């Protein structure tokens, strides 16, 4: 149960949520995504209660990569495009998202580059490493032109060098968008503007 939570997130700001398992980090994210509503207190956006927003419209403004992201056995291009199916899957935008996540380099080396099927469901498919799948999932989040970007353990399968490169690009490229990072790794959250530490829901 969450108690005494008082957070704020401004445009262009990066905040981090840190805490042990069960401390309430993911619960806050689910509330922010309107997967359910708080039983007490409120979440406000520009002074308006989040419950007044249409859930579908609001979720288009939020891009989330949860820790247990999905592997889609589609092409690399389609994997990234799924971040926002309302947009046309233009190669330039897809590649820009892949560059930001660090996925572009290995995708370019695949047999058919962005047209390569990922996974082994298809005879011409190419299996990726855990870190490569994670970069594709991150590219999917970057492809969505959302106001709030949420990354739940976004670098758990990346090596330290790849993690450093990702967050150097990340901090530079969010512009006026807001971002929330959830992590157990202090190397991940030290680049945040504000770090909130949660302990048993507080």
């Amino acid at each position: 149960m969450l108690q005494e939570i008082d957070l704020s997130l401004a445009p262009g700001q990066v905040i981090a949520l840190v805490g042990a398992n069960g401390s309430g980090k993911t619960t806050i994210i689910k509330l922010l995504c309107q997967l359910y509503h708080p039983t007490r207190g409120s979440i406000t956006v520009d002074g308006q209660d989040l419950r007044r927003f249409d859930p579908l419209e609001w979720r288009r403004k939020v891009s989330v990569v949860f820790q247990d992201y999905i592997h889609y056995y589609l092409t690399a291009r389609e994997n990234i495009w799924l971040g926002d199916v309302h947009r046309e899957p233009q190669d330039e935008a897809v590649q820009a998202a892949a560059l930001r996540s660090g996925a572009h380099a290995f995708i370019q080396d695949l047999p058919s580059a962005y047209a390569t099927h990922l996974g082994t469901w298809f005879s011409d498919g190419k299996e990726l490493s855990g870190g490569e799948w994670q970069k594709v999932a991150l590219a999917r989040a970057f492809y969505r032109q959302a106001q709030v970007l949420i990354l739940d353990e976004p670098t758990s399968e990346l090596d330290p060098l790849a993690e450093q490169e990702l967050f150097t690009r990340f901090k530079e490229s969010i512009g006026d968008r807001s971002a929330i990072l959830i992590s157990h790794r202090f190397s991940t959250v030290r680049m945040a503007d504000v770090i909130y530490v949660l302990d048993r829901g507080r």
Side-chain angles (χ1 to χ4, degrees), residues 79-80 103 106-107 118 128 132-140:
N79 257 275
I80 296 170
F106 73 79
I107 291 175
L118 304 185
L128 303 181
E132 289 170 338
W133 274 115
Q134 191 160 45
K135 289 178 181 179
V136 170
L138 287 164
R140 198 157 49 237

Side-chain angles (χ1 to χ4, degrees), residues 69 129-139 153-158:
Y69 58 88
S129 68
E132 289 170 338
W133 274 115
Q134 191 160 45
K135 289 178 181 179
V136 170
L138 287 164
E153 292 291 354
T155 60
S156 59
E157 297 189 71
L158 301 184

Side-chain angles (χ1 to χ4, degrees), residues 22-84:
S23 62
K25 302 185 300 295
T26 301
T27 300
I28 290 174
I29 298 310
K30 289 179 177 178
L31 288 166
L32 185 58
C33 294
Q34 277 202 4
L35 298 182
Y36 43 80
H37 298 295
T39 53
R40 285 187 295 173
S42 63
I43 300 170
T44 60
V45 180
D46 293 331
Q48 295 189 57
D49 194 306
L50 185 59
R51 283 172 280 210
R52 297 181 61 184
F53 289 72
D54 176 82
L56 291 178
E57 287 297 322
W58 171 249
R59 288 173 195 148
R60 290 194 183 108
K61 298 179 181 180
V62 180
S63 184
V64 187
V65 179
F66 284 110
Q67 190 172 359
D68 52 349
Y69 58 88
I70 296 174
H71 298 184
Y72 294 103
Y73 297 113
L74 302 168
T75 66
R77 179 183 295 106
E78 290 166 335
N79 257 275
I80 296 170
W81 169 70
L82 284 174
D84 189 352

Side-chain angles (χ1 to χ4, degrees), residues 77-152:
R77 179 183 295 106
E78 290 166 335
N79 257 275
I80 296 170
W81 169 70
L82 284 174
D84 189 352
V85 297
H86 295 94
R87 297 176 65 189
E88 291 294 325
Q90 297 175 345
D91 288 345
E92 186 176 317
V94 168
Q95 290 183 24
L99 280 166
R100 291 173 65 191
S101 74
H104 178 73
F106 73 79
I107 291 175
Q108 283 288 82
D109 290 337
L110 294 174
S112 300
Y114 283 84
T116 304
H117 281 100
L118 304 185
T120 55
W121 277 15
F122 300 95
S123 59
D124 63 342
K126 176 69 174 176
E127 187 55 81
L128 303 181
S129 68
E132 289 170 338
W133 274 115
Q134 191 160 45
K135 289 178 181 179
V136 170
L138 287 164
R140 198 157 49 237
F142 290 140
Y143 182 73
R144 190 181 191 91
Q145 295 177 315
Q147 293 179 354
V148 181
L149 183 61
I150 301 170
L151 307 181
D152 186 354

Side-chain angles (χ1 to χ4, degrees), residues 9 13-16 147-150 170 174 177-181:
L9 179 61
Q13 186 180 39
V14 178
I15 68 169
Q147 293 179 354
V148 181
L149 183 61
I150 301 170
F170 177 76
I174 64 167
R177 299 195 294 176
S178 306
I180 301 174
L181 307 177

